[in-house]
């Protein structure tokens, strides 16, 4: 029984990867909306998206982007909270 389920999951991921990932993400979002509410879920999705975007830029080695983010943070934060 356990092997049948694992074989089914492997088949789905191999043959229908996009659909399977979409269903899993949709299910997670639906459960999140039911448990913590729409706006909290939306906030989490936005934070994850921003983190993914920034992490992708850092992984690609875009130093100009990173310098720009640090510069904007320094301008945004008050002088007493600058620790770097």
């Amino acid at each position: 029984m356990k092997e049948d389920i694992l074989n089914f999951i492997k088949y789905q991921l191999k043959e229908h990867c996009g659909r399977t990932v979409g269903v899993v993400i949709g299910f997670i979002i639906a459960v999140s909306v039911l448990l913590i509410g729409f706006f909290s879920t939306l906030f989490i999705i936005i934070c994850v998206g921003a983190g993914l975007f920034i992490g992708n830029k850092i992984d690609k080695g875009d130093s100009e982007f990173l310098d720009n983010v640090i510069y904007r943070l320094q301008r945004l934060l008050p002088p007493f909270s600058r620790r770097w």
Side-chain angles (χ1 to χ4, degrees):
M1 177 76 173
K2 186 177 178 180
E3 288 182 19
D4 292 337
I5 293 173
L6 288 176
N7 287 335
F8 176 75
I9 292 172
K10 287 178 185 177
Y11 170 77
Q12 287 296 328
L13 285 174
K14 184 177 181 183
E15 297 296 324
H16 307 289
C17 183
R19 292 179 190 171
T20 305
V21 171
V23 166
V24 170
I25 290 173
F27 180 75
I28 291 171
I29 290 173
V31 170
S32 296
V33 168
L34 289 175
L35 291 177
I36 62 174
F38 175 75
F39 291 108
S40 297
T41 302
L42 185 63
F43 176 73
I44 291 170
I45 291 171
I46 290 171
C47 288
V48 167
L52 180 65
F53 176 75
I54 292 170
N56 190 27
K57 290 287 192 177
I58 291 171
D59 284 345
K60 287 184 178 179
D62 192 358
S63 63
E64 182 179 320
F65 174 78
L66 188 58
D67 292 340
N68 192 14
V69 169
I70 291 172
Y71 172 73
R72 289 181 187 268
L73 282 175
Q74 287 177 343
R75 286 185 51 213
L76 186 69
L77 297 174
F80 63 85
S81 68
R82 294 181 191 156
R83 305 268 185 227
W84 60 89

